[in-house]
Amino acid sequence: MSLTKTYADGTTPKVAIIGAGPSGICAAIQLQRQLKLTTYTVFELEADVGGTWFNNTYPGAGLDAPAYLYGYSFAPNYDWSSKYVPQSEVLAYFQSTARTYNIYDKIRFNTRVTTMRWNEGRRKWVLHWVNTRSNEEGDYEVDVVIHGTGLLRVPKIPKEFESFEGQMWHSAQWNHSVDLSGKRVGVVGTSASGVQIIPAIADKVESLDVYGRSPAYIIPRFNSEYGRTWRFFCRYVPFFHFLYVSLQYLFVDANILLYYKLAWNSIFHRAFAYFLTWLHRFTQLPHNPTLRHKLTPQYDIASRRTVLSDVYYPTFKQDNVSLHVDEIVSVKGNTIETEDGSFRELDVLVLATGFDWFQCFPPGYWFGRGGVDIPVSWGENVTTYYGTCTPNAPNFFMVWGPNSGIAHHSLTVIIETQVKYIVRSLSHMMQNDLATMEISQEAADEFLDTMDRRMAKMQFTTKVKPKFLNSKGQCRGFWYGSVSEFWWRLRNLHIERYLVESRKEASEKTFSHLNGTKDEKDEIIEEQMSFEI
């Protein structure tokens, strides 16, 4: 498919990419590769690229998706050390890829975007930014925004732990200055990050108290190292890498059947998963039925994320490790009390409590057409079109936005699909001389109706109260199908689902609007020139 790379007058849209994690890196590279577009700026809060892989440096952090599926299709890494690699190797891949495609010079590090506001008169987005080191701030005006911060950005810290007087941090904000050797440590949370942290620190600490009322379903990791011969074949033998990755892709994508409620098409996957998780618990804890019972989930498999680990269960056989499955009733000073009456004094408390998905778009952050505060207008009914765009936000795109989350596959597959869709959207704008394109409310509502209908058949809407269910029991976070279906549904732009405005129409309206606001326009342009210099 041929892509239009400029408007008829040779210009290109000015683009702001928010976030330099896997989503933002992919967006920046594909704008350069596919559209030859260089009129973009990336705003990144941290000091380097990587996003969640830059922030999450806790002990044991690593991939729980096959590494060969986690790399970009246009930037394959033939040198992964194993099937599931540690955080440092994933971060090195994204940093290396960003350097290879020369996007570091386009990134404004240590810069927080505090508000995004649509200016109807100029058909532009005005971003207010603050440099977190220098405290310099200003406004930046663009035609298009690509929001790529993802959903794993804002740590979820329950309020009941705010009164803890010892050392405390969230798993995504690990305090490496504190030596855990000989310390009494507590870990709250037994999902993905907790399952990785607990075995990694158990041998170092004096005592380890694990608090988790709802244990995860855990299956063996079956990790394997890739030797020189394997890497040689991947790099030099024709089609070897392609075939291996393709087979992995299809095998992993078939796991979406696990997330469907019991039916003819999911009975084998669910039965096998139940058996595998039971066998894993039994073989790793053969002589401790009480502990096995504590570590057995009391909800349907795949209602929450299924976790991979070969070392988690054996950790609880250590004398210095205790598992608490009763509710925490009080946190006073350095002491945690549980419902069964036990008290534990702790030196350090680690919160492996996940992320607050929807605080990525807090109230007062994002104002669309007519000044509407978009997250406030959503309320509980987070309204997106395939997690990629939303009504009342012209020229605004999301990568891994709400309603595009997945639990069974590599996230970069979803990211690449959405970025390709955004690239086609910008190309269409330039080809047809459009100033704006905005998904219609009707198209977004139709998507949500389809999602609700499909989600009713899935485990995501069971009674375990996942964080992505609203008070009506509707799932607002996850995508309802395979990644192959996601690609299929976004393979075409479907411009008839958009509200569009030509540049000629916009220019006439803008001229009328700016008749009395020349000073405002000049002020923003002056700030923008200063920022770019």
Side-chain angles (χ1 to χ4, degrees), residues 13 28 84 107 109 130 133 191 209 239 256 315 371 392 464 487 511:
Y84 302 103
I107 303 173
F109 290 110
V130 177
R133 288 192 173 179
S191 192
D209 287 275
F239 302 110
I256 187 62
T315 302
N392 296 313
V464 297
W487 166 83
F511 180 79

Side-chain angles (χ1 to χ4, degrees), residues 225-295:
E225 294 187 358
Y226 297 123
R228 290 183 180 178
T229 302
W230 180 273
R231 295 197 290 269
F232 176 88
F233 270 61
C234 282
R235 184 180 293 275
Y236 296 112
V237 175
F239 302 110
F240 183 87
H241 176 266
F242 171 78
L243 290 173
Y244 177 68
V245 172
S246 298
L247 289 172
Q248 267 199 332
Y249 172 96
L250 294 172
F251 176 79
V252 174
D253 207 18
N255 288 333
I256 187 62
L257 294 175
L258 177 63
Y259 292 85
Y260 282 89
K261 295 174 182 176
L262 191 60
W264 68 268
N265 62 336
S266 64
I267 188 169
F268 172 78
H269 276 76
R270 294 185 63 75
F272 181 74
Y274 271 118
F275 172 74
L276 187 60
T277 55
W278 171 84
L279 183 64
H280 192 42
R281 280 193 306 276
F282 186 83
T283 54
Q284 293 207 318
L285 301 169
H287 306 300
N288 198 330
T290 302
L291 186 54
R292 284 204 308 273
H293 178 72
K294 283 185 174 183
L295 291 167

Side-chain angles (χ1 to χ4, degrees), residues 449-476:
D449 289 343
T450 302
M451 188 170 75
D452 288 340
R453 188 172 62 253
R454 291 281 297 273
M455 279 293 181
K457 303 176 181 179
M458 302 191 75
Q459 289 297 135
F460 294 131
T461 51
T462 57
K463 302 295 184 181
V464 297
K465 296 183 179 179
K467 57 191 172 186
F468 40 82
L469 288 189
N470 62 22
S471 62
K472 298 179 181 178
Q474 298 168 316
C475 182
R476 292 295 179 263

Side-chain angles (χ1 to χ4, degrees), residues 57-63 85-87 192-193 195-197 199-201 221:
T57 59
Y58 58 80
L63 267 181
V85 297
Q87 170 268 341
S193 55
V195 167
Q196 292 183 337
I197 292 168
I201 66 173
R221 207 168 181 218

